Amino acid sequence: MKLTIAQSVLAELIETAKNGISTKPVDPILGSLLIEASDSGKLTVIGTDLNVSIKTYSIANIKQAGTVALNAKLIADTVNNLSGELDIEVSDRSCIISHSTGKCRIVGGNAEDFPSIPETENPTVISIPSKKLQAALLSCLYCSSTDETKLVLTGVHFQLQGENWSCASTDGHRLAFVSSKLEVSYEPLSFTVPRRSLTELEKILSNAAQNSSCTLKVGENTIQFILPNAELTSRLLEGQFPNINSFIPRSFANEIVVERKGMEIILKRISHFAEKKHKIVKILWEVNDQQATLMTGNTDIGDAVDSLLIKTQTSVGENIGIGLNSGYLQEALKHISTDEIVFRFNKPLQPVIISPVGGLLDQLTLVMPVDVQDFNKPQQLQDTSKPDTEAVAENSAEAESLPEAEQVSNETTNREEKSTSDTPATNKPKSRKRKQEAKPKPELETTTV
């Protein structure tokens, strides 16, 4: 093999493909990258851990075709410390890289031992705009479970029916749901992709062109995501994913709109006072005063109270108290990019839906509340006053320093047209503590403290 390529191009190919390799490969060859140079002038770099494979390619000045397997870390460290045009020559597993001031030699492995990447047989082919797919992944991945014993919950579930597509994830205490439209109508199809595979796909999509599309080839056990300069192949998760629509209420008695950045600032300000186990933030929706008061407290370290203005649409004329996990709430806000968000709920111990007002996709996050009995302000902090418009504006200006998530979401309450799979009782998400009374339908459960 003999070729010439720019250092920056080769470094990008290696860095992307290297994400397909396990940090602890079970076989030395799985710690290597397969580099292929073809007579057509295309250079391909492949990395795999057998569950997910990443293939990247680019045009290069190829003088002689060939293949070599090189240690991923060694080739990455070597190329990252070079610059300019690189001349690469491979002979008998020995790879010599020549640059402007010197040369280096890397001893490679046997390319024939590198595992072949499976091809998806008889696939269903789907095309989704790259930026919409990336936005959907950013809105769902954080709710998938990191507990490998939960099997199918460690992935994101995709559904297609007609012109509608959606993806959803849950860890048993919260869930995320995103939906949008396709340009082509499809037969009903559902599949679940592992979290790790989609995390690497999101990184690839972040570098995709604004108007590009991602082609999905869905098979029985594998799926391929194909982009102009990269391809990711992943196994699919087996098992029945929970029926997400059964957990989302169809109607709501209360809708409260708040300014997102202002709430993010307040949560950042008061969350470190929350007790460590459940990280509870108590929210008192003061309907008549059109304000929300957020409270956290720990008898060992102290308390905090803060307020912000709200806009309410509620049939209840009295204050409403809800307890939420502050970590879950902060993560939900982090993955919304619109200026305003809406909280929808019925009763204090029933699911709370958080959605953006506007956005690229229809999006919601469902969080189960915590059973809190006392919503009185701490005695030492009783003089907390109603915030004015200037204070909210100050919170917004301060929040400009917070990282922005990608453009996502919209209000989503009507799920009547979406197709869902039936959920066996064994797959129902479970909370940290069960309620005693039976429920008429499956529900995510509250935590009692």
Side-chain angles (χ1 to χ4, degrees):
M1 184 170 74
K2 192 174 183 180
L3 61 95
T4 300
I5 190 171
Q7 180 274 341
S8 58
V9 175
L10 182 58
E12 184 177 351
L13 294 178
I14 290 172
E15 191 62 31
T16 301
K18 190 162 67 75
N19 290 330
I21 294 176
S22 171
T23 54
K24 296 180 179 179
V26 295
D27 190 301
I29 197 66
L30 295 178
S32 300
L33 292 174
L34 185 69
I35 301 176
E36 298 177 330
S38 68
D39 291 324
S40 62
K42 185 169 77 171
L43 182 68
T44 304
V45 182
I46 305 172
T48 183
D49 66 357
L50 299 182
N51 290 319
V52 59
S53 304
I54 298 177
K55 180 189 296 185
T56 58
Y57 26 85
S58 178
I59 300 300
N61 181 11
I62 297 174
K63 301 167 186 176
Q64 183 180 340
T67 304
V68 65
L70 301 175
N71 180 273
K73 186 178 186 310
L74 183 56
I75 185 63
D77 290 344
T78 301
V79 173
N80 286 339
N81 286 287
L82 301 177
S83 60
E85 291 289 317
L86 305 180
D87 293 318
I88 300 175
E89 187 172 353
V90 176
S91 178
D92 296 330
R93 301 189 192 177
S94 179
C95 177
I96 298 176
I97 303 175
S98 303
H99 52 99
S100 57
T101 59
K103 296 182 179 182
C104 54
R105 184 176 69 91
I106 300 175
V107 178
N110 187 356
E112 295 179 357
D113 292 339
F114 197 87
S116 59
I117 308 302
E119 290 292 332
T120 304
E121 298 181 0
N122 302 319
T124 299
V125 181
I126 306 159
S127 180
I128 300 177
S130 298
K131 292 306 176 184
K132 277 194 174 184
L133 181 56
Q134 183 194 8
L137 296 182
L138 286 170
S139 302
C140 283
L141 278 169
Y142 74 99
C143 277
S144 60
S145 177
T146 57
D147 183 355
E148 293 299 326
T149 64
K150 291 187 176 181
L151 303 177
V152 75
L153 297 187
T154 61
V156 173
H157 187 66
F158 288 77
Q159 281 191 317
L160 291 92
Q161 183 172 20
E163 296 180 352
N164 299 311
W165 71 278
S166 65
C167 55
S169 63
T170 179
D171 61 5
H173 305 295
R174 54 183 174 165
L175 67 83
F177 182 92
V178 176
S179 64
S180 186
K181 296 282 188 179
L182 295 167
E183 295 181 356
V184 180
S185 181
Y186 293 92
E187 293 294 323
L189 176 68
S190 62
F191 52 90
T192 307
V193 186
R195 175 191 181 112
R196 164 163 151 68
S197 302
L198 295 179
T199 299
E200 300 306 333
L201 176 64
E202 190 279 322
K203 295 176 184 176
I204 298 172
L205 290 169
S206 66
N207 295 319
Q210 188 68 33
N211 298 323
S212 65
S213 292
C214 180
T215 299
L216 285 64
K217 291 185 176 181
V218 186
E220 184 176 354
N221 300 311
T222 61
I223 183 171
Q224 291 175 280
F225 297 89
I226 302 172
L227 288 146
N229 297 316
E231 179 180 319
L232 185 146
T233 302
S234 171
R235 67 180 178 90
L236 295 175
L237 291 175
E238 298 179 356
Q240 189 73 38
F241 199 83
N243 184 354
I244 290 296
N245 280 15
S246 68
F247 303 115
I248 302 173
R250 301 297 183 183
S251 60
F252 302 92
N254 306 293
E255 292 190 9
I256 299 174
V257 177
V258 304
E259 197 267 332
R260 177 181 61 85
K261 292 181 180 178
M263 179 164 274
E264 279 186 313
I265 279 291
I266 288 176
L267 288 170
K268 185 176 180 181
R269 190 181 289 154
I270 70 173
S271 60
H272 57 276
F273 283 96
E275 49 85 27
K276 300 301 180 183
K277 184 177 181 181
H278 297 301
K279 302 178 182 178
I280 299 172
V281 56
K282 296 184 285 186
I283 305 177
L284 183 62
W285 305 105
E286 300 177 72
V287 176
N288 294 329
D289 292 334
Q290 292 289 287
Q291 79 166 16
T293 299
L294 286 76
M295 298 170 278
T296 56
N298 187 323
T299 54
D300 295 331
I301 61 174
D303 322 274
V305 175
D306 217 322
S307 302
L308 78 164
L309 298 175
I310 62 175
K311 293 182 286 186
T312 61
Q313 295 181 6
T314 175
S315 59
V316 180
E318 59 186 23
N319 294 346
I320 308 166
I322 288 181
L324 295 173
N325 180 296
S326 63
Y328 292 166
L329 182 54
Q330 284 179 295
E331 276 200 284
L333 299 186
K334 178 182 176 182
H335 292 87
I336 295 176
S337 62
T338 57
D339 293 335
E340 291 184 323
I341 56 174
V342 57
F343 286 78
R344 295 186 176 93
F345 56 92
N346 290 308
K347 295 181 180 179
L349 294 182
Q350 292 182 351
V352 176
I353 304 296
I354 305 168
S355 301
V357 178
L360 180 62
L361 302 170
D362 291 339
Q363 175 195 355
L364 66 81
T365 299
L366 183 152
V367 180
M368 290 305 297
V370 180
D371 189 0
V372 177
Q373 302 299 324
D374 181 16
F375 283 90
N376 294 322
K377 299 175 185 177
Q379 186 174 359
Q380 295 86 345
L381 305 177
Q382 287 285 346
D383 59 346
T384 300
S385 59
K386 178 180 177 180
D388 55 27
T389 305
E390 293 181 0
V392 173
E394 181 180 344
N395 280 343
S396 299
E398 184 179 349
E400 294 296 336
S401 60
L402 291 175
E404 286 293 336
E406 293 293 329
Q407 193 65 301
V408 287
S409 354
N410 192 12
E411 319 172 58
T412 304
T413 57
N414 186 5
R415 304 294 161 203
E416 302 288 349
E417 300 176 1
K418 305 290 188 296
S419 172
T420 57
S421 56
D422 295 332
T423 308
T426 55
N427 283 333
K428 173 182 172 183
K430 297 180 180 178
S431 68
R432 287 164 286 184
K433 186 172 182 179
R434 289 184 179 274
K435 283 186 172 182
Q436 295 299 318
E437 66 271 18
K439 301 179 179 60
K441 66 174 185 177
E443 287 188 10
L444 294 171
E445 311 224 1
T446 60
T447 301
T448 304
V449 296

